[in-house]
């Protein structure tokens, strides 16, 4: 069984086979996207609405491009600006949009679980584009695709995730995915940025970055929000960079062919050294962005397949 | 007034901690006689209990009613019906209404409304500080005169220790009972869950259970300093128990309660962001739940209550972080408590010690016992009758119960207040 769900809400509910099916299809879309003419029809005639309750440029652009390349009619709604200001609830907004008959809602929301709640109230497919600190499944999938293409596999790798684990949905989704694909995960962060109970997720935790990076295959850096730097969670930007900023010296503890990843947007000089981020021999940060479009195309393609199969079954 | 005899009953006596087969005679609103042998003749009405349980009516401490301000969530009338159906005969209500009950006039309104709309006994608690804002103490003396049974800011913590210390000192002078919510607000602010693996997996803002221990530590220190009489509304974590035990051993005048939800549910029940399971404090780990059950069994935690908190659909149909906290419980307190009985964790006399006798004693009420001369506030129930709860059948205006669809055991067959039957077939 591959990916058969109606929605894509998180990695937690995905089997290894489902993950592999999405990644395999995404792989083919990478090649497709590198061609000069890039019009597919997997979503032809379908309506995709991007509902972003939290500002985003990159992710929203990636979903928009992915939908357009698959032939969907794509609509972007900046939700902070519209009905929520008028006091409408999330569920009302969702049911209103649902009544307009979209096929797919791509939703980002600042609160954990909000996308699950919305998915219960609509009849179309829902794709989670990030909810609070909970999950960001397409980010984990695009990271997985990037790793798989660089390393040839997803199992038996040693992957370090470094930075603000506590507030990161990217970290949660990546931990769940890499665990499911049987890689070893090391978390590197100051204790103030580690969530409670994280040891129970089958990970190794390191406070010392050099020790944590020893012999890893992949280094994933996380963004540290500016507002968390001034004494709240870490004492200062410069102390954080000194202890947890990734540069060539610290990277030397990892394997010599270890790749460097970052979900963006980066704070150069805070969590990652600018020249390292641009080093094409080590950094795959730009590939991640490219994989993002391909993975989102694959995920939406498979959701469309699943809803068409469900419709066919219902009418048969 | 007429005399009513209930015979052939399984008498649950929380004072004697006994269960015996026998009869109970009520006359003029009070319990006239209780016995084991042959029932006396001469009653106007005889009820055959058919071996079912007869216990003192439940004294539910910490009930939220939406009057004034949020009558669409719960009125005295709807709460009274729910209580009668749940075997609850006395409601100790919370002052965290809109506006809060912080002046004698507001309290007078509540007493009048309660008397005209509800057939159960309703004794209001008043706010400890004006507006429950934690800044200035209320007119504790006037409020006592107006019938306040205790003083509390409900789930709002008086964060400034100096203000709480003064309020406790003043209350001590008047002999008033103060109820605190032991929690360190500096840690618990914004939290929707208890920190740990589950909250991390679900990405929910969480509070360490240590916040409760810090809260009780501070409150106990202030009791030691002021000599006040204090009840802790809910103790829900294992870590807070040693402090409570020490305080009691040292002779401080403290007692503690716990909600039925924290004894029968744990954090995992939240599952996929089910907001009916969002409570204050949040549901705890299974270890904490078991520790609280054991503490109740051995009497370290004195009181078991429902923490009845009605919330309308709109305030619950939101993302978990934004949703309102609290659950209704008047109608499910007894069947949920019976889960602990059926699981072999607590006996029926132990349950009624915590649900009736202890709260009544602590609050200076005559109720809570089957003793002769006590008010005839009684509940007759079948502890075994199974049912599946459908929340839409409940009497509460708000239907926010975590037990919707749950299999429960325990049906209330009759409820009496002051000898008058207010629930069940006549």
């Amino acid at each position: 069984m591959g990916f058969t769900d109606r929605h894509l809400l998180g990695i937690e509910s995905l089997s290894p086979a489902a993950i592999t099916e999405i990644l395999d299809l995404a792989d083919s879309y990478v090649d497709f996207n590198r061609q000069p003419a890039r019009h597919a029809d997997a979503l032809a005639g379908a309506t995709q609405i991007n509902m972003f309750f939290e500002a985003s440029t990159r992710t929203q652009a990636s979903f928009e491009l992915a939908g357009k390349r698959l032939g969907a009619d794509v609509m972007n709604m900046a939700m902070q600006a519209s009905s929520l200001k008028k006091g409408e609830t999330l569920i009302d907004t969702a049911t209103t949009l649902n009544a307009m008959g979209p096929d797919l809602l791509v939703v980002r929301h600042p609160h954990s679980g909000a996308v699950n709640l919305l998915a219960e109230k609509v009849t179309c497919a829902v794709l989670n584009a990030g909810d609070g600190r909970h999950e960001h499944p397409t980010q984990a999938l695009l990271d997985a695709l990037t790793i798989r293409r660089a390393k040839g596999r997803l199992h038996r790798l040693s992957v370090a995730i470094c930075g603000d684990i506590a507030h990161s949905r990217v970290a949660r989704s990546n931990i769940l995915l890499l665990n499911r694909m049987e890689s070893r995960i090391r978390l590197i962060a100051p204790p103030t940025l580690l969530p409670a109970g994280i040891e129970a997720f089958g990970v190794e935790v390191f406070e010392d970055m050099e020790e944590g990076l020893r012999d890893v295959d992949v280094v994933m850096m996380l963004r540290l929000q500016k507002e968390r730097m001034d004494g709240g969670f870490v004492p200062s930007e410069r102390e954080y960079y000194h202890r947890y900023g990734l540069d060539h010296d610290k990277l030397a503890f990892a394997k010599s062919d270890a790749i460097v990843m970052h979900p963006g947007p980066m704070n150069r000089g805070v969590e990652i050294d600018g020249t390292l981020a641009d080093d094409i021999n080590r950094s795959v940060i730009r590939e991640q962005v490219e994989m993002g479009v391909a993975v989102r195309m694959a995920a939406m393609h498979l959701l469309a397949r699943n809803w068409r199969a469900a419709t066919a079954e219902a009418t048969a | 007034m007429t005399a009513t005899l209930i015979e052939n009953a399984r008498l649950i006596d929380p004072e004697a901690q006994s269960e015996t087969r026998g009869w109970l005679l009520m006359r003029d609103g009070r319990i006239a006689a209780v016995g084991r042998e042959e029932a006396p003749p001469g009653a106007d009405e005889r009820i055959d209990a058919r071996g079912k349980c007869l216990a003192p009516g439940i004294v539910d401490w910490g009930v939220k009613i939406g009057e004034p301000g949020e009558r669409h969530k719960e009125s005295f009338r709807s709460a009274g019906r729910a209580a009668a159906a749940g075997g609850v005969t006395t409601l100790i209500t919370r002052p965290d209404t809109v506006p809060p009950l912080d002046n004698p006039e507001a309290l007078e309104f509540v007493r009048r409304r309660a008397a005209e709309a509800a057939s159960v006994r309703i004794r209001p608690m008043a706010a400890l500080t004006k507006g429950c804002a934690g800044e200035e103490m209320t007119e504790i003396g006037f409020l006592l005169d107006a019938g306040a049974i205790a003083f509390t800011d409900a789930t709002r913590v008086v964060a400034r220790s100096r203000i709480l210390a003064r309020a406790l000192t003043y209350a001590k002078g008047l002999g008033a009972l103060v109820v605190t919510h032991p929690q360190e607000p500096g840690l618990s602010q914004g939290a929707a869950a208890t920190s740990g693996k589950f909250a991390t997996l679900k990405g929910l803002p969480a509070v360490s259970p240590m916040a409760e221990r810090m809260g009780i530590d501070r409150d106990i220190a202030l009791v030691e300093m002021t000599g006040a009489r204090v009840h802790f509304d809910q103790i829900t974590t294992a870590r807070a128990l040693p402090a409570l035990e020490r305080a009691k051993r040292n002779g401080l005048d403290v007692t503690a309660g716990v909600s039925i939800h924290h004894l029968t549910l744990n954090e995992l029940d939240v599952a996929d962001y089910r907001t009916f399971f969002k409570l204050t404090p949040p549901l705890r780990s299974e270890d904490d739940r078991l520790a609280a059950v054991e503490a109740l069994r051995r009497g370290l935690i004195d009181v078991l209550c429902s923490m009845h908190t009605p919330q309308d659909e709109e305030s619950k149909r939101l993302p978990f972080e934004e949703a309102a906290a609290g659950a209704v419980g008047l109608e499910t307190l007894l069947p949920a408590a019976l889960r602990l009985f059926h699981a072999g964790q607590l006996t029926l006399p132990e349950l009624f010690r915590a649900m009736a006798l202890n709260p009544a004693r602590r609050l200076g009420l005559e109720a809570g016992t089957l003793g002769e001369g006590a008010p005839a506030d009684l509940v007759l129930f079948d502890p075994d009758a199974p049912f599946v709860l459908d929340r839409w059948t409940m009497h509460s205006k708000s239907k926010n119960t975590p037990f919707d669809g749950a299999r429960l055991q325990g049906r209330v067959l009759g409820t009496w207040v002051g000898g008058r039957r207010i629930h069940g077939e006549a």
Side-chain angles (χ1 to χ4, degrees):
Chain A
M1 292 288 274
F3 176 62
T4 54
D5 302 344
R6 198 175 129 219
H7 307 299
L8 177 56
L9 299 177
I11 300 296
E12 199 191 355
S13 57
L14 296 185
S15 65
I19 292 167
T20 303
E21 184 181 24
I22 298 170
L23 296 182
D24 288 350
L25 182 59
D27 238 337
S28 71
Y29 274 123
V30 174
D31 299 334
F32 175 87
N33 284 338
R34 287 176 181 173
Q35 296 172 337
R38 301 169 284 200
H39 284 289
D41 57 2
L43 287 181
T47 306
Q48 169 192 341
I49 303 182
N50 296 333
M51 295 170 75
F52 278 63
F53 294 89
E54 196 177 74
S56 157
T57 313
R58 307 154 55 98
T59 308
Q60 187 169 329
S62 182
F63 273 107
E64 184 174 356
L65 194 56
K68 285 181 168 162
R69 285 191 180 161
L70 293 174
D73 295 315
V74 185
M75 195 169 118
N76 287 315
M77 300 194 63
M79 299 308 298
Q80 317 94 288
S82 74
S83 51
L84 288 189
K85 285 240 171 90
K86 297 176 190 156
E88 194 177 48
T89 67
L90 175 66
I91 292 177
D92 287 336
T93 308
T95 47
T96 303
L97 283 178
N98 191 50
M100 299 181 193
D103 300 284
L104 173 66
L105 292 178
V106 176
V107 187
R108 171 170 285 190
H109 197 282
H111 289 150
S112 304
V115 182
N116 301 49
L117 175 68
L118 194 142
E120 288 171 21
K121 308 293 175 187
V122 298
T123 49
C124 61
V126 174
L127 199 160
N128 182 1
D131 64 321
R133 315 170 181 179
H134 178 219
E135 283 233 43
H136 190 357
T138 56
Q139 178 71 43
L141 287 163
L142 77 86
D143 288 341
L145 183 63
T146 309
I147 295 170
R148 201 173 76 167
R149 287 172 69 99
K151 296 289 166 193
R153 64 177 199 274
L154 277 176
H155 58 275
R156 285 191 288 109
L157 291 170
S158 182
V159 180
I161 304 178
C162 180
D164 186 0
I165 316 279
H167 302 95
S168 174
R169 54 192 172 218
V170 175
R172 281 178 184 62
S173 287
N174 266 311
I175 290 168
L176 292 169
L177 187 147
L178 292 166
N179 246 326
R180 206 138 295 172
M181 303 313 279
E182 298 181 9
S183 272
R184 298 179 58 136
I185 303 159
R186 299 169 148 223
L187 302 181
I188 306 170
T192 46
L193 294 177
L194 284 167
I198 194 69
E199 320 74 37
F201 284 72
V203 296
E204 283 181 279
V205 177
F206 295 85
E207 278 171 44
D208 182 276
M209 192 165 184
E210 292 174 356
E211 199 188 324
L213 288 179
R214 198 173 294 278
D215 295 327
V216 299
D217 299 287
V218 177
V219 185
M220 276 187 187
M221 301 304 297
L222 296 172
R223 174 180 170 78
L224 182 66
Q225 306 279 351
K226 284 265 185 212
E227 63 268 22
R228 305 211 166 104
M229 278 181 261
D230 302 324
F233 290 85
V234 294
S236 69
E237 198 173 306
R238 62 182 193 177
E239 178 159 330
Y240 185 78
Y241 182 67
H242 175 72
R243 297 189 62 206
Y244 296 99
L246 186 67
D247 55 19
H248 280 100
D249 292 344
K250 293 198 187 89
L251 185 60
F253 286 83
K255 280 191 186 153
S256 58
D257 62 349
I259 56 171
V260 174
M261 306 174 73
H262 194 296
M266 280 183 283
N267 293 310
R268 289 169 186 265
V270 177
E271 69 252 358
I272 190 163
D273 171 53
T275 45
L276 176 57
D278 297 331
D279 180 351
I280 52 164
N281 295 315
R282 307 306 296 272
S283 162
V284 294
I285 296 170
R286 259 175 289 175
E287 280 87 336
Q288 285 176 274
V289 179
E290 184 190 356
M291 296 309 122
V293 178
V295 152
R296 286 167 183 134
M297 288 171 78
M300 294 195 291
H301 179 154
L302 294 174
L303 283 173
R305 179 196 68 184
N306 295 350
W307 83 60
R308 285 183 182 129
T311 317
E313 203 171 301
T315 52
Chain B
M1 213 166 167
T2 55
T4 303
L5 179 78
I6 302 177
E7 57 189 338
N8 197 18
R10 182 172 160 194
L11 299 169
I12 310 298
D13 184 343
E15 256 173 321
Q17 281 294 295
S18 68
E19 283 182 54
T20 49
R21 194 77 162 207
W23 52 267
L24 181 146
L25 180 71
M26 26 184 159
R27 183 181 292 132
D28 299 331
R30 294 196 171 259
I31 297 172
V34 183
R36 285 183 190 80
E37 290 80 33
E38 188 115 340
D44 305 293
E45 185 192 11
R46 296 176 86 93
I47 295 168
D48 183 358
R50 297 168 194 272
K52 303 304 184 206
C53 296
L54 185 67
I58 295 168
V59 178
D60 195 3
W61 191 344
V63 174
K64 173 81 179 278
I65 293 175
E67 289 191 58
E70 293 175 303
R71 219 159 116 179
H72 63 289
K73 292 187 178 178
E74 194 83 285
S75 65
F76 283 108
R77 188 174 305 279
S78 62
R81 287 200 189 118
V88 178
T89 51
T90 303
L91 308 186
I92 310 301
T93 60
R94 303 211 304 251
D96 53 338
T97 47
V98 186
L101 303 180
D102 61 0
N103 60 79
E105 293 76 16
L107 210 66
E108 180 53 39
F109 162 80
V110 163
R111 295 197 60 190
R112 197 176 61 244
R113 278 289 299 142
E116 68 193 22
S119 52
V120 296
R121 299 178 199 273
I122 296 182
R123 301 297 301 269
M125 293 191 283
L128 180 66
T129 66
K130 288 175 187 158
C132 294
E135 296 292 336
E136 302 164 59
M137 73 176 89
T138 52
E139 294 169 315
I140 295 174
F142 280 158
L143 285 161
L144 274 177
D145 295 343
I149 196 163
F151 294 83
T152 184
D153 284 351
T155 51
R156 275 188 250 173
V157 179
V158 180
R160 292 168 62 187
S161 301
R162 179 187 300 204
I163 289 166
L164 182 57
R166 283 199 200 127
L168 289 175
T169 304
Y170 195 85
K172 150 89 178 161
L174 290 165
L177 177 67
V178 174
V179 181
T180 70
H181 180 67
Q183 195 71 215
E184 166 52 48
L187 283 182
S188 62
Q189 200 176 26
T194 301
S195 63
K197 185 187 177 190
F198 178 79
T200 293
L201 182 65
K202 294 295 176 186
L204 291 172
V207 57
S208 165
M210 200 57 95
E212 184 173 291
R213 146 90 190 272
M214 289 171 73
I216 198 173
D217 279 346
R218 181 198 70 157
D219 290 0
I220 285 171
L222 293 179
V223 171
E224 206 174 309
M225 179 174 132
T226 60
R229 300 170 57 217
V230 169
H231 176 73
F232 306 116
D233 67 344
Q234 300 181 73
I235 297 299
T236 59
T237 61
R239 283 194 173 118
L241 293 170
L244 177 64
E245 188 154 27
R246 261 197 316 279
K248 285 189 166 186
R249 206 170 44 227
N250 293 342
L252 300 182
D253 192 354
V254 295
T255 49
V258 65
S259 95
I260 187 62
H261 300 116
H262 290 91
L263 291 194
T264 52
L265 304 168
N266 69 28
E267 57 185 349
L268 301 181
D269 287 301
V270 169
D272 217 1
Y273 305 100
R274 296 194 287 174
T275 56
F276 284 5
F277 293 78
K278 181 175 177 179
L279 305 174
T280 306
L283 285 169
R284 306 301 194 180
S285 69
E286 178 64 2
D287 288 346
D288 280 333
R289 183 187 77 84
L290 291 172
V293 170
E294 171 60 14
L296 188 79
R297 190 196 60 75
R298 62 192 185 94
L300 176 57
I301 293 178
D302 306 84
V303 172
L304 174 58
C305 59
S306 74
M307 276 296 148
H308 181 81
T309 305
Q311 299 288 4
D312 54 18
E313 300 289 301
E314 281 63 43
S315 49
K316 284 289 188 183
R317 290 174 69 206
L318 291 169
F320 198 84
E321 286 171 54
E322 293 173 58
V328 291
L330 284 170
E331 283 159 271
T332 47
L333 173 56
L334 180 57
L338 288 170
R339 275 190 174 177
L340 301 169
F341 164 67
H342 290 296
Q345 289 168 309
L346 285 149
T347 65
L348 291 173
E350 282 166 350
L351 279 176
F352 279 87
R353 179 179 65 196
M355 293 194 295
L357 180 68
N358 284 348
R361 278 194 179 158
R362 183 60 167 160
L363 290 158
L365 303 173
E366 295 178 281
T369 95
L370 293 185
E372 289 172 16
D377 294 0
L378 300 165
V379 54
L380 179 67
F381 64 98
D382 177 351
D384 301 314
F387 69 104
V388 176
L389 182 75
D390 171 0
R391 67 190 183 109
W392 299 106
T393 63
M394 297 194 308
H395 295 79
S396 278
K397 281 194 182 180
S398 295
K399 313 293 183 190
N400 55 308
T401 171
F403 296 111
D404 186 38
R407 288 163 195 279
L408 295 165
Q409 278 177 277
R411 272 285 190 202
V412 174
L413 306 171
T415 308
W416 287 262
V417 172
R420 196 165 75 84
R421 189 160 194 173
I422 58 166
H423 178 78
E425 300 287 311

